[in-house]
Amino acid sequence: MGLERAFADEPAFVPYLAAGDPTYEASLAYVEALARGGADAIELGLPFSEPMAEGRTIQNAIVRSLDAGMTVDRYFEFVADLDVDVPVVCMTYYNLIYQFGPEEGPRPFVEKAAEVGIEGFVVPDLPAEEAGPLRAACDEFGLDLVFIVAPTTTGERLDRMREQVSGYVYVQARLGVTGAREDVDDATEESLARLADWDVPKAVGFGIKTGDHAERIVAAGADGVIVGSALIDIVAEGHENGDPVEEVADRLEAKARELKDGALRGESERPQPERT
């Protein structure tokens, strides 16, 4: 069933953290705290030195992770060391996937990912037109490939994404880069409507900060919410203040619970179909 099981029974809360931010051990504790707080799947960033889709918050997290020694091999060790019962999705850039292993191409990376328990990929810089080799490797090893659909994604590219996507589709709620916002973009409902007949769950990300945001997104028709920057802000503040890892983990768990509860409230507010 793959990543779709995270959305099977109720709206999914899918958090994002950069692996190794601010240290390997602290990051393990933080990811596990999100799982305790109600995460249904976890997008785990493999840091890349030139990220394109990330705003300043996630860029800083990536810098902290790289400074702490995160590498591709260390990332796989990190996933293997995690003690969570929810699916882990690798979010990274294609160059790291393509150049891993003895020969060029995505297959060695995907094989190793499957070995350590990763269940899918989000690759922001991989065009759907060039995704065939990664899609084939994912099919070989039973992993999902998630695409990000922006408000401006249309036409043939949108059709290609639909043909190749599995697990869930990442619906970008607004234009621009990642980052927590104070409001929810009014275009979210329109973006969801464009994908209404896709046969995979729709998870909305970019800008979600509070439980109220999650409630509104799910009430608008989303099957789940993806939250990164609001969580990384907690990590960054704890790191800058020198707070104990346990305290920061407690804050992340509480924030995760707030966001998950908001998503559940949103489900109860969806219009119910009329009985005939």
Side-chain angles (χ1 to χ4, degrees):
M1 188 174 180
L3 294 174
E4 289 193 27
R5 74 181 188 277
F7 302 80
D9 300 321
E10 58 190 24
F13 164 52
V14 184
Y16 167 94
L17 286 181
D21 172 30
T23 68
Y24 188 98
E25 293 300 330
S27 188
L28 282 174
Y30 297 161
V31 174
E32 290 167 3
L34 293 174
R36 291 194 302 272
D40 299 286
I42 295 169
E43 289 184 356
L44 189 62
L46 169 56
F48 182 64
S49 57
E50 292 89 29
M52 301 188 318
E54 325 310 345
R56 178 60 59 185
T57 296
I58 294 181
Q59 287 181 23
N60 290 340
I62 288 170
V63 169
R64 289 191 297 269
S65 175
L66 292 171
D67 286 347
M70 183 54 64
T71 64
V72 175
D73 288 332
R74 191 74 166 140
Y75 178 88
F76 287 134
E77 292 175 16
F78 185 95
V79 175
D81 285 343
L82 275 176
D83 184 13
V84 297
D85 294 325
V86 298
V88 174
V89 181
C90 173
M91 187 170 189
T92 193
Y93 288 76
Y94 193 54
N95 188 53
L96 294 180
I97 296 173
Y98 187 81
Q99 297 200 26
F100 181 80
E103 73 271 4
E104 290 186 339
R107 187 181 183 279
F109 190 100
V110 176
E111 181 177 18
K112 182 64 177 180
E115 179 184 316
V116 300
I118 290 168
E119 297 194 32
F121 297 98
V122 182
V123 188
D125 67 331
L126 179 63
E129 296 85 349
E130 304 296 332
L134 181 56
R135 177 70 268 176
C138 287
D139 289 342
E140 179 179 354
F141 294 101
L143 276 63
D144 285 313
L145 181 57
V146 176
F147 285 94
I148 300 175
V149 175
T152 52
T153 306
T154 58
E156 186 176 345
R157 173 159 293 181
L158 193 63
D159 292 339
R160 285 179 179 268
M161 288 181 177
R162 182 175 182 170
E163 292 169 359
Q164 299 182 87
V165 70
S166 65
Y168 59 95
V169 58
Y170 187 141
V171 184
Q172 183 178 327
R174 61 179 74 231
L175 294 175
V177 295
T178 58
R181 306 295 205 280
E182 297 301 326
D183 63 337
V184 173
D185 197 298
D186 292 336
T188 299
E189 193 166 351
E190 181 180 338
S191 295
L192 288 166
R194 289 196 301 138
L195 310 179
D197 59 349
W198 288 33
D199 60 357
V200 292
K202 293 84 182 171
V204 174
F206 277 55
I208 300 170
K209 182 178 180 181
T210 68
D212 288 343
H213 289 171
E215 179 180 355
R216 288 178 59 189
I217 291 290
V218 173
D223 299 303
V225 294
I226 301 170
V227 182
S229 294
L231 302 170
I232 291 172
D233 284 340
I234 296 173
V235 173
E237 182 180 2
H239 176 64
E240 290 165 5
N241 294 338
D243 295 335
V245 169
E246 295 78 7
E247 290 185 10
V248 179
D250 287 345
R251 291 174 206 151
L252 286 167
E253 183 176 346
K255 190 66 173 179
R257 193 166 288 112
E258 173 196 336
L259 290 158
K260 177 65 178 181
D261 288 348
L264 292 174
R265 291 196 307 273
E267 182 181 36
S268 68
E269 295 169 11
R270 288 176 177 170
Q272 299 300 312
E274 294 183 4
R275 294 182 178 179
T276 57

